[in-house]
Amino acid sequence: MKSIYLALGSEIDPEKYLICKFYFESQLSDEEAAESIAAESSIGTWTDVQTMKEEIKNRLAAKVFKLEKNIMHIAYPLEMFEISVPQLLADIAGNIFGIKFVDNLRLLEVKFPSKYIKSFKGPRFGIEGVRKLLKIKERPLVGTIIKPKIGLSADEHARVAYEAWVGGCDFVKDDENLTNQGFNPFKERVEKTLKSLDKAETKTGEKKNYAPNISAPYSEMIERAQFVKDNGGKCIMIDILTCGFSALQSIGEENFGMVIHGHRTMHGAITRNEKHGIHMNVLAQLSRFCGIDQLHIGTIVGKMSGDKEEVLKNVEACIYKCGLKSAFPVCSGGLYAGHIPPLMEILGKNIIIQAGGGVHGHTKGTSAGATSMRQAVDAVMDGIPIEEFIKTHEELRLALKKWKR
Amino acid sequence: MKSIYLALGSEIDPEKYLICKFYFESQLSDEEAAESIAAESSIGTWTDVQTMKEEIKNRLAAKVFKLEKNIMHIAYPLEMFEISVPQLLADIAGNIFGIKFVDNLRLLEVKFPSKYIKSFKGPRFGIEGVRKLLKIKERPLVGTIIKPKIGLSADEHARVAYEAWVGGCDFVKDDENLTNQGFNPFKERVEKTLKSLDKAETKTGEKKNYAPNISAPYSEMIERAQFVKDNGGKCIMIDILTCGFSALQSIGEENFGMVIHGHRTMHGAITRNEKHGIHMNVLAQLSRFCGIDQLHIGTIVGKMSGDKEEVLKNVEACIYKCGLKSAFPVCSGGLYAGHIPPLMEILGKNIIIQAGGGVHGHTKGTSAGATSMRQAVDAVMDGIPIEEFIKTHEELRLALKKWKR
């Protein structure tokens, strides 16, 4: 009996099917493994059922159309999908990770029909909108995360943010695990830090942005977003994975008219293993569909895993032409000024470069750390070798002195 | 210099600290790896920062208090945490999965201070509430998932549900990837299937329940929950991981007065690898905190991965005494009537046993499949060996004939 799930060598119309590429390892034959994955992720189960109909098989069965050593390509009929990331994931990234006879399974790539993508709202600002807001035409944006991650009071938080902005940061954000704890209540922090922002804008003549971390149960998160907006904020931050896509898509649809910054904490539990789970580029695409304007995509050179090939795929997911605005790729994690030249060489100018320890750990403090970051950007933009530039730029020289290996 | 993150051999007060057990593999020494994980998951980063204060170190640093070969135990001060699952995960299951020099990391167990647990709402029904609703005192509940997973019309869905209830199922649910697609619109399905439910209750004299899958962007999900309630429904289903914990905790707090059934599709991407990610028992606890009344926890014997030891840990997470109601453990995935005796032997009577293919794949159809499930439960409850019972119970005999290996 020919399987309804196998259509090796078939032509697939990319406007009628969602196309997924999986890595897999199985105790079954390649064809059996492919069939069980295509079945479980579309209309099938482990046995035949009396309630199945020919018409359903013809219309909705997923088709394995290419099968190589440990790689399968599956086409899913567009009709299967709602315009809902939770629903989408339940198909192409759901039960299939648990099938007993498939030892490893990794969703490597997804290609979406353009009309499916365009049904999502996508980023409201995107790279261009964020650049316009901050009046920065060409250079990378420079940001910091307030450190220590948790423990500062709201007053201290606002003061450190001020120093970072005045030193040269365009952007300040809360860390992923700072939300509304007793030592630093959300509302007090937002009010005080936004006042710092106003002062820093006046002082520097530059536009600045601040992303308070609103991550919380959804109803609370919405109230926090509204509070930021009511206090003149222009940005909110969400931990996209610990919050989840139901909340993320909904808050994007709500459209508070603020930039949404997406931190990807917990992604490593899903994306890290090279043989299992989901590649970050897929999660990046889905975050962009939901409306994330700025997204953490790895650093290549910092404290976190993720090599050049992986990070470039994540960047591509943020910016490829698809009818939605681009999401601004954010490099964050273990960075300092000295990482900026190699990062810009690999990723170009359309990135946000964030340093936490690399700003607040500067021997002369936060403001000098921020200055060192801007100096490194200036050096690259002006085409001046960093070793030359530090002769006249003390903050950058001290940053390299402390951290260069 | 003694690290602030290492406190090996210290006594930890379980009411003041959240205690996590991790498996890890690292290129660093055990102590260096433990230190970097404790730092990144509490107050630290990759370098010292000028903004750190002694008082923060003393109050908020996580402490590694036990370190064995590849296993570390970390105590996190309760003050770090908001009553928010997204915030909690950003601490204990966040960036640490991505640290470059830690190759594998798995969160195996979490012990929470009882006052932290009690700050969550937890299940509104729990095992007792669900039993009371269905007037079933002691035996396991029997459920089915409508199959094929997707493709039936709303009319067909309602008809198959009716057959399952009349055949003997207590509970019918949508599958994880059926939400509101064109071939089976949500509202039409809910209206028609709830009418089937009323008819089936009248016909059988038994109480029945139906869990429509409301998974969607949050605002839409809330509307769907309200629609179910307005139509007399007593249960909703959520794909807990594709939706995420921000949505889950919020909908639990909304309290629609309906049973919440949690499907764990996508969990395998996070829980499957034995060396990396998060053990399902942790996700089960968090789902219970959020208010999940019925939760998929594995099958031991079915189509999905998960051995006895793992599933028993998941069950324990659902039922351990902690001041919240118990969540009803659900076995679902590749089951049929013949699996019921061994499942009940291992897990007892406080389980919901679901079969999709094992009901609708029965040679005599859905109703007979449902009957075979109830017969298997009856056989165990009456202490009659299944080989004996099938002599007088045709549906069960046919089920074993088709599937017994």
Side-chain angles (χ1 to χ4, degrees):
Chain A
M1 189 188 77
K2 197 179 167 317
S3 164
I4 56 168
Y5 303 107
L6 293 180
L8 299 179
S10 297
E11 282 284 314
I12 301 295
D13 181 344
E15 280 305 311
K16 292 186 176 160
Y17 291 87
L18 216 133
I19 296 170
C20 295
K21 181 179 173 186
F22 293 97
Y23 172 87
F24 71 104
E25 290 177 3
S26 174
Q27 303 149 47
L28 306 172
S29 75
D30 284 1
E31 292 205 350
E32 284 171 317
E35 189 182 348
S36 69
I37 289 165
E40 185 64 44
S41 56
S42 62
I43 60 170
T45 188
W46 60 280
T47 183
D48 61 294
V49 295
Q50 302 285 327
T51 42
M52 180 58 84
K53 301 189 303 176
E54 278 307 309
E55 180 249 345
I56 295 175
K57 291 185 194 173
N58 295 335
R59 267 171 55 206
L60 293 172
K63 304 276 185 198
V64 183
F65 66 95
K66 200 169 158 192
L67 189 57
E68 300 151 347
K69 185 82 194 131
N70 296 116
I71 298 284
M72 68 178 83
H73 301 254
I74 305 184
Y76 295 88
L78 188 51
E79 203 189 343
M80 282 177 60
F81 302 97
E82 217 192 325
I83 307 303
S84 156
V85 175
Q87 194 281 326
L88 169 75
L89 287 170
D91 286 312
I92 64 172
N95 293 358
I96 49 178
F97 293 113
I99 297 175
K100 193 180 271 182
F101 299 108
V102 178
D103 300 316
N104 278 304
L105 181 71
R106 183 164 171 83
L107 179 53
L108 297 171
E109 282 176 22
V110 187
K111 286 186 180 142
F112 299 91
S114 60
K115 69 177 167 197
Y116 184 74
I117 295 179
K118 285 177 195 157
S119 303
F120 288 92
K121 299 277 190 289
R124 305 300 173 125
F125 288 80
I127 294 178
E128 278 185 41
V130 169
R131 284 194 173 285
K132 205 170 155 188
L133 196 66
L134 295 178
K135 300 186 191 298
I136 298 168
K137 287 205 175 129
E138 203 188 1
R139 66 166 172 85
L141 273 54
V142 170
T144 192
I145 310 100
I146 301 298
K147 300 279 180 183
K149 298 159 83 80
I150 52 171
L152 295 181
S153 68
D155 277 316
E156 291 161 340
H157 195 96
R159 180 180 53 71
V160 174
Y162 178 79
E163 288 171 19
W165 279 315
V166 168
C169 281
D170 306 301
F171 180 63
V172 167
K173 64 180 273 300
D174 296 347
D175 220 335
E176 78 285 349
N177 61 346
L178 177 65
T179 54
N180 183 38
Q181 292 97 323
F183 51 79
N184 190 343
F186 181 81
K187 289 185 175 179
E188 189 188 347
R189 176 169 79 253
V190 169
E191 283 172 345
K192 289 179 172 168
T193 308
L194 287 173
K195 278 183 191 152
S196 284
L197 185 149
D198 289 340
K199 282 202 303 184
E201 286 189 340
T202 305
K203 169 98 175 170
T204 60
E206 295 180 339
K207 301 301 281 182
K208 307 290 185 184
N209 213 353
Y210 168 51
N213 182 4
I214 65 166
S215 300
Y218 189 80
S219 304
E220 179 62 32
M221 192 153 83
I222 288 293
E223 285 183 22
R224 291 181 191 175
Q226 191 59 51
F227 185 84
V228 175
K229 192 173 173 68
D230 292 344
N231 280 271
K234 292 166 288 189
C235 186
I236 48 180
M237 168 176 142
I238 302 174
D239 292 333
I240 58 173
L241 295 166
T242 59
C243 285
F245 283 103
S246 173
L248 198 61
Q249 187 173 346
S250 206
I251 206 165
E253 288 169 358
E254 287 283 335
N255 189 13
F256 282 91
M258 296 187 284
V259 175
I260 305 179
H261 182 97
H263 191 295
R264 61 176 184 157
T265 193
M266 197 169 89
H267 82 92
I270 302 170
T271 67
R272 178 83 182 266
N273 189 307
E274 289 181 5
K275 296 181 169 183
H276 191 71
I278 306 172
H279 193 288
M280 181 65 207
N281 88 82
V282 178
L283 302 178
Q285 279 186 83
L286 300 180
S287 303
R288 183 180 174 196
F289 294 178
C290 290
I292 290 292
D293 294 288
Q294 306 181 166
L295 180 65
H296 291 219
I297 48 84
T299 59
I300 308 172
V301 294
K303 69 181 170 180
M304 295 300 181
S305 67
D307 62 13
K308 182 175 162 180
E309 188 191 343
E310 190 204 312
V311 172
L312 284 171
K313 272 191 186 165
N314 300 344
V315 170
E316 176 66 15
C318 289
I319 64 172
Y320 75 96
K321 280 208 194 319
C322 65
L324 302 180
K325 287 179 183 162
S326 296
F328 220 140
V330 178
C331 298
S332 187
L335 298 180
Y336 83 103
H339 288 128
I340 289 179
L343 264 182
M344 287 179 66
E345 171 141 1
I346 301 168
L347 300 176
K349 296 170 189 166
N350 263 338
I351 48 174
I352 300 175
I353 305 170
Q354 291 179 175
V359 164
H360 311 291
H362 193 281
T363 42
K364 298 281 186 191
T366 295
S367 184
T371 304
S372 73
M373 296 282 290
R374 277 288 287 277
Q375 289 171 343
V377 168
D378 289 346
V380 179
M381 293 301 289
D382 294 348
I384 301 168
I386 206 113
E387 295 301 331
E388 191 62 32
F389 209 73
I390 59 173
K391 292 176 186 166
T392 51
H393 293 84
E394 180 66 2
E395 292 83 358
L396 184 57
R397 188 184 70 77
L398 288 172
L400 267 69
K401 188 178 169 207
K402 178 165 183 180
W403 289 303
K404 194 174 181 186
R405 284 180 194 115
Chain B
M1 190 186 76
K2 198 176 170 314
S3 164
I4 56 168
Y5 304 107
L6 293 180
L8 298 178
S10 298
E11 282 285 314
I12 300 296
D13 180 345
E15 280 305 309
K16 292 187 176 160
Y17 291 86
L18 216 134
I19 296 170
C20 294
K21 181 180 173 185
F22 292 98
Y23 172 88
F24 72 104
E25 291 178 3
S26 174
Q27 303 151 44
L28 306 172
S29 74
D30 284 1
E31 292 206 350
E32 285 172 317
E35 188 181 350
S36 70
I37 288 165
E40 186 65 44
S41 56
S42 61
I43 60 169
T45 186
W46 61 281
T47 184
D48 61 294
V49 295
Q50 303 286 329
T51 43
M52 180 58 85
K53 300 189 303 177
E54 279 306 310
E55 182 248 344
I56 294 174
K57 290 186 195 173
N58 296 335
R59 266 172 54 208
L60 293 172
K63 303 277 184 197
V64 182
F65 65 96
K66 200 170 159 191
L67 189 57
E68 299 150 347
K69 185 80 195 136
N70 296 118
I71 299 284
M72 69 178 83
H73 300 254
I74 305 184
Y76 295 88
L78 188 51
E79 204 189 344
M80 283 177 60
F81 302 97
E82 217 191 326
I83 307 303
S84 156
V85 174
Q87 194 281 325
L88 169 75
L89 287 169
D91 287 312
I92 64 171
N95 292 358
I96 48 178
F97 293 113
I99 296 174
K100 194 180 270 181
F101 299 107
V102 178
D103 300 315
N104 278 303
L105 182 71
R106 182 162 172 83
L107 178 54
L108 297 172
E109 282 176 21
V110 188
K111 284 186 182 143
F112 299 91
S114 60
K115 70 178 168 196
Y116 184 75
I117 296 179
K118 285 176 195 160
S119 303
F120 288 92
K121 299 276 190 289
R124 307 299 176 127
F125 288 81
I127 294 178
E128 277 185 41
V130 169
R131 285 195 173 283
K132 204 170 155 189
L133 196 67
L134 295 178
K135 300 186 192 297
I136 298 168
K137 285 203 178 132
E138 204 189 0
R139 68 167 171 85
L141 273 55
V142 170
T144 192
I145 311 99
I146 301 297
K147 300 279 181 184
K149 298 160 83 79
I150 52 172
L152 294 180
S153 68
D155 277 316
E156 290 161 341
H157 195 96
R159 181 181 52 71
V160 174
Y162 177 79
E163 288 172 20
W165 280 313
V166 167
C169 281
D170 307 301
F171 181 65
V172 167
K173 64 180 275 298
D174 296 348
D175 220 335
E176 77 285 350
N177 61 347
L178 176 66
T179 54
N180 184 37
Q181 291 97 324
F183 51 79
N184 190 343
F186 180 80
K187 290 185 174 180
E188 188 188 348
R189 176 169 80 253
V190 168
E191 284 172 344
K192 289 180 171 166
T193 307
L194 286 174
K195 277 183 191 153
S196 284
L197 185 149
D198 289 341
K199 282 202 303 184
E201 286 189 341
T202 304
K203 170 97 176 173
T204 60
E206 296 180 337
K207 301 302 281 183
K208 306 290 186 184
N209 212 353
Y210 168 51
N213 182 4
I214 66 165
S215 300
Y218 189 80
S219 305
E220 179 63 32
M221 193 152 81
I222 287 292
E223 285 183 22
R224 290 181 191 174
Q226 190 61 50
F227 185 83
V228 175
K229 192 172 172 68
D230 292 345
N231 280 270
K234 291 166 289 190
C235 185
I236 49 179
M237 168 175 141
I238 301 174
D239 292 333
I240 57 172
L241 296 165
T242 60
C243 285
F245 283 102
S246 173
L248 198 61
Q249 186 173 347
S250 206
I251 205 164
E253 288 169 358
E254 288 281 337
N255 189 12
F256 283 91
M258 296 187 285
V259 174
I260 306 179
H261 182 98
H263 191 296
R264 61 176 184 157
T265 192
M266 197 171 87
H267 81 92
I270 301 170
T271 67
R272 178 82 181 268
N273 189 309
E274 288 181 6
K275 296 181 170 185
H276 192 72
I278 305 172
H279 192 288
M280 181 65 206
N281 88 82
V282 178
L283 302 177
Q285 279 186 83
L286 301 180
S287 302
R288 184 180 173 196
F289 294 178
C290 289
I292 290 292
D293 293 289
Q294 307 181 167
L295 181 66
H296 290 220
I297 48 86
T299 59
I300 308 171
V301 295
K303 71 181 169 181
M304 295 302 181
S305 67
D307 61 14
K308 183 175 161 181
E309 188 191 344
E310 190 203 312
V311 172
L312 284 172
K313 273 191 186 164
N314 300 343
V315 170
E316 176 64 14
C318 290
I319 65 171
Y320 76 96
K321 281 209 195 316
C322 65
L324 302 180
K325 287 179 184 165
S326 296
F328 220 139
V330 178
C331 298
S332 186
L335 298 180
Y336 83 103
H339 288 127
I340 290 180
L343 265 181
M344 286 180 66
E345 172 139 2
I346 301 168
L347 300 176
K349 296 169 189 167
N350 264 339
I351 49 174
I352 299 174
I353 305 170
Q354 292 178 174
V359 164
H360 312 291
H362 193 282
T363 42
K364 298 281 186 190
T366 294
S367 185
T371 304
S372 73
M373 295 282 289
R374 277 289 287 277
Q375 289 171 344
V377 168
D378 289 345
V380 179
M381 293 300 289
D382 295 346
I384 300 168
I386 206 116
E387 294 302 331
E388 191 61 32
F389 209 74
I390 59 174
K391 291 176 186 167
T392 50
H393 293 85
E394 180 67 2
E395 292 84 358
L396 183 57
R397 188 184 70 77
L398 288 171
L400 266 69
K401 187 177 170 207
K402 178 166 181 179
W403 288 305
K404 193 173 182 187
R405 280 171 201 125

